[in-house]
Amino acid sequence: PIVTDQLCIKGELPPDALPPFQCCPPASASEPINFTFPDPGEPLRTRRPVHVVGDEHMAKYARAVALMKSLPVSDPRSFYQQANVHCAYCTGAHRQAGRPDMGVQIHFSWLFFPFHRAYLYFFERIAAKLLGDPGFALPIWSWDVPEGMGIPEVFADVASPLYDPIREPSHAPPKVADLDFFLQGEKNLTDQEVILHNLRVMYRQMVSGATLPSLFLGQPYRAGDAEMPGPGTVEWAPHNTMHTWTGDSSRPNAENMGVYYSAGRDPLFYPHHGNIDRLWETWRNDIAVGRRRRADFDDPDWLDSSFLLYDEEARLVRITVRDVLDADKLRYTYGDVAVPWLTARP
Ligand code: C2O
């Protein structure tokens, strides 16, 4: 398995990166503690789409982001450091335990879904703690249903803590998102055509193209392997494509959302990943193959891989892939999202 070490060095940032140039979170004075499940009596958080939850809930998310932004930058729970945590895991800054010459890369492999689930889990709990609202659930950006296919308005309000000035201006709302967008340019389609196209992309990525764990979750990546062996269908699109579509195409690296190192600096990153995480649940639970549910890997190299993340008490926690496989045990679920693409066979 790939076991993350506490040792973190300056990772590899792209040329012309924006500061900070070093993404390692503050070092922990004590050894990491092992993850333990939340109390089963905790309220179940239900993550719902931005277009469903309403203004009041979005104002809460905005307040959580503002509170995180106002923590001292030395606090690992601050928005600044949370963005850095993602940066560290995608620039090879964290070392692999026992292999100080090798970095941990959580994209383009089977670590993609479990890492981001663990990362969001702690981000959501930090938000809930700062809000003093133990049941707070992260809103999700459900770009796979027509009502969510575009940057939600509230993120485009320049006065909101959810606004990020480093986004593609021509993709501000009400622009309809293109789920298999690449930098090669815009498609010449009407909104209705784009929506239909998007539903077909979803069908391909979730159903017809994702019949095996390796096709959906990504290729195996074990200690000592070359990084980025290959992404799963959804990691490639809409995950990467929506990052690129959101980022500012006039910047050298399509910051903020369009490049790994800076993506976590946009408050839209977290609702984007909420939707990615929801699709993992959907793939496993709702898409029957014959009569069988789809199953994750059962390979110990996957199950025993682990990450180091800070919890809501600012303690460094070691969490394994095995720890994140049951959302119910993590006390959250998804609600109020349809799957209109399930029948959109091209
Ligand atoms: Cu770690 Cu959406 O990227």
Side-chain angles (χ1 to χ4, degrees):
I2 305 255
V3 175
T4 303
D5 196 82
Q6 255 182 284
L7 179 62
C8 188
I9 63 165
K10 185 176 185 293
E12 271 178 59
L13 270 73
D16 300 313
L18 302 169
F21 301 115
Q22 192 288 106
C23 298
C24 293
S28 166
S30 48
E31 286 296 302
I33 55 173
N34 287 327
F35 177 75
T36 51
F37 287 105
D39 189 323
E42 260 191 24
L44 189 67
R45 304 165 201 277
T46 304
R47 298 179 183 167
R48 294 188 169 85
V50 174
H51 69 266
V52 170
V53 291
D55 295 349
E56 210 178 300
H57 191 84
M58 290 310 294
K60 239 187 215 182
Y61 177 53
R63 195 156 73 242
V65 168
L67 288 166
M68 288 169 89
K69 285 183 174 172
S70 68
L71 289 175
V73 297
S74 57
D75 190 321
R77 300 167 301 179
S78 63
F79 193 78
Y80 176 85
Q81 294 296 353
Q82 286 294 303
N84 270 353
V85 167
H86 183 259
C87 172
Y89 276 97
C90 63
T91 54
H94 277 289
R95 305 282 89 193
Q96 295 182 22
R99 294 175 187 266
D101 55 322
M102 297 200 87
V104 176
Q105 168 58 264
I106 43 78
H107 298 101
F108 276 49
S109 80
W110 68 7
L111 295 187
F112 172 75
F113 282 96
F115 169 81
H116 291 86
R117 173 169 291 190
Y119 177 55
L120 234 53
Y121 170 80
F122 290 117
F123 181 91
E124 185 177 57
R125 295 180 75 88
I126 292 167
K129 163 106 186 173
L130 294 175
L131 288 168
D133 176 358
F136 173 76
L138 189 70
I140 60 173
W141 179 18
S142 54
W143 28 246
D144 59 311
V145 302
E147 303 86 334
M149 285 178 189
I151 295 178
E153 289 279 350
V154 48
F155 289 85
D157 171 1
V158 291
S160 169
L162 303 180
Y163 179 69
D164 182 352
I166 315 184
R167 285 190 197 129
E168 172 58 31
S170 68
H171 292 168
K175 179 80 180 174
V176 179
D178 172 2
L179 296 190
D180 68 353
F181 177 79
F182 290 96
L183 278 180
Q184 286 85 296
E186 310 280 342
K187 297 186 177 71
N188 229 338
L189 299 175
T190 65
D191 287 356
Q192 276 319 310
E193 288 166 339
V194 178
I195 290 170
L196 185 62
H197 173 78
N198 286 342
L199 294 174
R200 289 178 173 158
V201 169
M202 288 306 301
Y203 183 87
R204 186 183 72 218
Q205 301 302 78
M206 289 291 293
V207 186
S208 55
T211 49
L212 293 172
S214 57
L215 294 175
F216 180 75
L217 294 167
Q219 296 299 315
Y221 169 47
R222 306 169 203 276
D225 284 357
E227 60 183 40
M228 300 187 136
T233 46
V234 164
E235 182 181 357
W236 181 249
H239 169 261
N240 271 31
T241 51
M242 288 307 287
H243 270 290
T244 311
W245 184 85
T246 307
D248 183 350
S249 65
S250 73
R251 301 247 169 196
N253 305 298
E255 284 90 350
N256 275 328
M257 276 283 273
V259 57
Y260 294 138
Y261 87 89
S262 59
R265 300 176 190 177
D266 189 331
L268 191 48
F269 176 97
Y270 306 90
H272 174 48
H273 271 275
N275 204 42
I276 296 288
D277 188 71
R278 178 201 132 228
L279 291 177
W280 183 11
E281 290 297 287
T282 305
W283 177 80
R284 244 195 331 219
N285 301 331
D286 302 343
I287 302 177
V289 196
R291 251 187 235 109
R292 290 181 40 224
R293 288 171 24 158
R294 292 185 169 177
D296 293 325
F297 291 105
D298 57 6
D299 188 320
D301 272 341
W302 188 61
L303 296 169
D304 295 333
S305 286
S306 65
F307 316 107
L308 293 174
L309 293 164
Y310 281 93
D311 72 3
E312 66 274 19
E313 309 295 343
R315 292 174 303 209
L316 189 62
V317 179
R318 179 173 300 284
I319 186 165
T320 65
V321 169
R322 194 187 296 280
D323 290 332
V324 301
L325 298 182
D326 186 342
D328 193 59
K329 280 195 180 165
L330 302 175
R331 303 306 296 144
Y332 75 89
T333 186
Y334 291 97
D336 296 331
V337 214
V339 278
W341 41 262
L342 207 47
T343 50
R345 189 199 295 260

